[in-house]
């Protein structure tokens, strides 16, 4: 449970993280190296805080995901939560437990370097430095089996929004219209590809450099920070959240928090090309239930004139909000022929991605 | 990597955490249930943030530690980091990955309830509510062995200190005196007892109710929040940190951050009774190298009139700070007979507890 230190491995690791985290912004008064980091939030702002696990074997696989993608997705999960509330990121914190070989072998250190590269490349684009965290040696299995431990990451994002203005899940009202950003189902479609071994070579090269969310919705999702900030600034969203668990699950969260019913127009859903090529039925399934698209789902009053895009990201009208009646399902799916069916949050649900 | 949801287990778990987290304080504008929590820090204050893993098999053992102690220690690790900088806690966040049986069995849910009880009992005493986090199903081993996954917790503490006033590791100057709070070596001594099966019955009953830090320095350590706040308010500490990795390792951090040398007076160390009964040599070893005492280590100018206790916790003078010379060891241990030896940070070092 405790052990003699391996200071070389540990110091190499911490120094590697520290060196990679020299960036600062005006809000970070004190970064890595003391008992706590110190942040100075902008006056008149509230703080938004979210934490998200990225666990090997649950959120990624070391034999399938390039390390840059693991780092990118780790940070993107947290940034997307800030985007959903319209907040601007101030700093990220990373708790990282690693199997011993990652800290002590050259290939392990290369994995770390590529992981940090992916994380910082995304953080740099949004002015979000790594300001602290924790390191640990990851436990091997209880039984003491020979197997190495797992890579366990927990990312913490601290953001800021003008006091009282953050977008919440709970403000949707009957009569509101339902919108989403970008396109849906792409992450689930690419994930299926990532999980087939034959495509590894292509993914490794594609995911490592020059990839973007449009090409790699699973490996390199783009948190919609500018779009979320624009929604907040314009004051046009009555409720918002990010699509991390899939439309059917996240819309249920919105409906439950707002105590409303939602009707989704199946024909209106903006299907990602990677999902569309699978044919209409799998594509609809991926758009409704595929998780990790990290687009925003939001509502606005019917009287709001909605732009076709916000911060360069297309906005699509996908349904509407009605009153919730006792005994009625929380969500309804409306097909092009006019038929309706209850929409169940029964699809791809991450046990792991539901914040509490 | 992803799986069909088990909504009942997950919802039970989240509801259990949510129900147990009804407490609020003035800084928590929005708690569990949205994409992020919202905090409103007191005006004129800076924010202090720290993250700490509590991993089964690394920081605790399910067959050795009562769940209340696991919850208590999980939160105490983070609170102690705030104490070290003189900060007042605003809120805690918990990322928690659990093996499936914890969410789905009655005994698992009881474990969770007792864990949360231990965590909240400590949080309540310091006005520190749980305001958010993440839940996940803990990955089972890579090899897909039959073994259940591990309990993985990451605690995030957000605190506040008057702008520019937080205590840091880097302010010690030659001529300063070196102090610690409370007593040392008790946690290491009790840990040795905890790891022997024969004492389980006694620990279970002792740890579950009415325990305190003096009796159970390992199972129920007390974060020195009031003492740290007092040091900040009085402005008497030039540098401070908490004793999480053991005196020899943490003092090295202080010396490195402040670029100074320290002389520790072996005879002056306040030995915890549980360590003292082991005899002089093991007791000295536990006091120097035993981790997780969660006392504060700090320096003050020699001209400062130091009280014998602060916020009810005894303060002991244990050494002094001198100039650091090239080629000289960073720390020296002085024995009662006047002999001196280099003090190496070679003892019980947690790979896991070094913040980066």
């Amino acid at each position: 449970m405790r052990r003699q230190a391996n200071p070389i491995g540990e110091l190499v690791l911490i120094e590697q993280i520290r060196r990679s985290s020299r960036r600062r912004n005006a809000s970070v008064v004190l970064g890595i190296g003391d008992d706590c980091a110190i942040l100075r939030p902008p006056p008149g702002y509230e703080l938004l805080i979210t934490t998200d696990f990225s666990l090997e074997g649950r959120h990624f696989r070391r034999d399938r995901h390039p390390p840059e993608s693991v780092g990118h997705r780790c940070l993107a999960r947290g940034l997307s939560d800030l985007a959903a509330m319209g907040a601007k990121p101030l700093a990220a914190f990373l708790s990282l437990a690693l199997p011993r070989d990652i800290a002590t072998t050259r290939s392990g250190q290369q994995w770390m370097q590529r992981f940090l590269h992916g994380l910082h490349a995304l953080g740099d684009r949004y002015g979000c430095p790594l300001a602290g965290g924790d390191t640990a040696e990851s436990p091997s299995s209880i039984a003491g089996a020979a197997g190495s431990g797992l890579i366990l990451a927990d990312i913490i994002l601290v953001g800021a929004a003008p006091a009282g203005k953050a977008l919440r899940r709970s403000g949707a009202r009957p009569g509101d219209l339902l919108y989403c950003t970008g396109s849906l189902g792409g992450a689930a479609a690419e994930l299926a590809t990532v999980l087939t071994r034959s495509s590894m070579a292509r993914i490794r090269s594609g995911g490592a450099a020059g990839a973007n969310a449009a090409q790699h919705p699973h490996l390199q999702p783009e948190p919609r920070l500018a779009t979320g900030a624009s929604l907040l600034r314009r004051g046009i969203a009555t409720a918002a959240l990010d699509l991390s668990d899939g439309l059917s699950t996240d819309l249920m969260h919105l409906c439950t928090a707002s105590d409303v019913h939602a009707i989704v127009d199946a024909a209106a859903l903006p299907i990602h090309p990677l999902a569309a090529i699978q044919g209409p039925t799998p594509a609809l399934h991926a758009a409704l239930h595929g998780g990790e698209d990290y687009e925003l789902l939001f509502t606005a009053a019917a009287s709001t004139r909605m732009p076709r895009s916000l911060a360069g990201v297309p906005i699509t009208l996908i349904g509407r909000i009605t009153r919730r009646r006792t005994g009625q399902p929380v969500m309804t799916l409306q097909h092009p022929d006019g038929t309706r069916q209850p929409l169940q949050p029964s699809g791809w649900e991450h046990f792991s991605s539901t914040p509490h």
Side-chain angles (χ1 to χ4, degrees), chain A:
Chain A
M1 205 187 70
R2 301 169 98 208
R3 60 171 187 76
Q4 291 299 104
N6 172 3
I8 293 174
E10 181 177 8
L11 290 182
V12 165
L13 170 62
I14 293 174
E15 188 50 34
Q16 200 177 0
I17 296 174
R18 193 194 294 250
R19 253 204 324 273
S20 79
S21 307
R22 289 260 163 80
R23 305 146 182 95
R24 285 281 184 281
N25 64 25
S27 300
V28 179
V29 176
L30 183 67
I32 294 171
D34 215 305
D35 286 303
C36 304
I38 304 181
L39 299 187
R40 187 173 297 155
Y45 278 65
E46 287 169 342
L47 283 158
L48 287 87
I49 297 165
T50 177
T51 83
D52 289 281
F53 271 132
S54 290
L55 307 176
E56 182 179 356
R58 184 70 50 200
H59 301 89
F60 68 92
R61 283 176 56 172
R62 229 188 300 176
D63 61 347
R64 289 287 181 272
H65 290 88
E68 292 86 354
S69 168
V70 178
H72 177 106
R73 293 173 67 228
C74 174
L75 185 62
R77 283 168 64 81
L79 288 175
S80 181
D81 284 324
L82 292 182
M85 299 185 79
K88 161 195 158 72
L90 298 183
F93 298 79
L94 178 65
S95 289
L96 192 60
L98 298 173
R100 179 176 284 235
D101 64 290
I102 293 277
T104 54
T105 66
R106 184 174 299 255
S107 67
Q109 287 168 26
Q110 280 169 352
W111 192 96
M112 264 299 289
Q113 206 140 18
R114 293 177 59 191
F115 167 86
L116 289 170
H117 177 78
L119 191 148
H120 285 306
L122 180 63
D124 285 353
R125 279 201 279 131
Y126 294 107
C128 184
L130 199 58
D134 191 22
T135 53
E137 185 176 338
S138 149
S140 33
S141 97
I142 275 186
S148 163
L150 300 173
I151 297 173
L152 311 169
D154 188 33
I155 193 90
I156 296 92
L157 265 293
V158 180
K165 300 289 188 198
L167 310 174
R168 302 187 183 193
R169 300 177 173 185
S170 53
R173 294 292 168 261
D176 284 357
L177 300 180
L178 181 67
Y179 300 88
C180 74
T181 63
S183 60
L184 306 178
E190 191 184 24
L191 172 61
T193 314
V194 168
L195 294 180
T196 63
R197 184 175 292 276
S198 60
S199 57
M200 268 303 277
R202 189 175 63 74
I203 290 159
R204 276 198 189 281
S205 58
N212 60 42
Q215 293 170 305
H216 293 291
H218 172 72
L219 292 175
Q220 308 264 337
E222 191 68 29
R224 298 303 190 191
L225 284 158
T227 307
S230 174
L231 284 173
L232 182 147
R233 203 168 44 242
R234 291 167 175 246
I236 54 182
T238 51
L241 46 54
D242 74 324
L243 289 169
S244 51
D245 295 336
L247 175 62
S248 62
T249 298
D250 291 314
L251 179 57
M252 184 190 63
H253 293 322
L254 187 150
C255 287
T256 306
S258 298
D259 194 23
V260 295
H261 169 257
I263 301 171
V264 174
D265 180 355
L269 294 173
I271 310 282
H272 191 285
L274 287 179
I277 56 172
Q278 299 180 333
T281 304
L284 180 62
H285 191 272
L288 286 173
H289 307 300
E292 300 194 298
D293 281 320
Y294 296 116
E295 298 293 349
L296 301 183
L297 179 70
F298 64 96
T299 56
S303 59
T304 299
R305 201 172 140 183
M306 189 60 60
R308 299 177 71 151
S309 71
L310 278 169
V313 180
I315 306 296
T316 306
L317 174 63
I318 61 168
R320 58 201 174 84
I321 302 297
T322 65
R323 192 170 319 178
R324 187 162 170 185
R325 290 178 216 280
T326 317
Q328 192 193 34
V330 175
M331 302 174 292
T332 299
L333 184 66
Q334 178 166 321
H335 292 281
D337 63 4
T339 58
R340 294 182 173 190
Q341 65 180 107
L343 175 60
Q344 299 292 348
S346 54
W348 294 103
E349 187 179 342
H350 261 208
F351 182 92
S352 45
S353 59
T354 304
H356 59 248

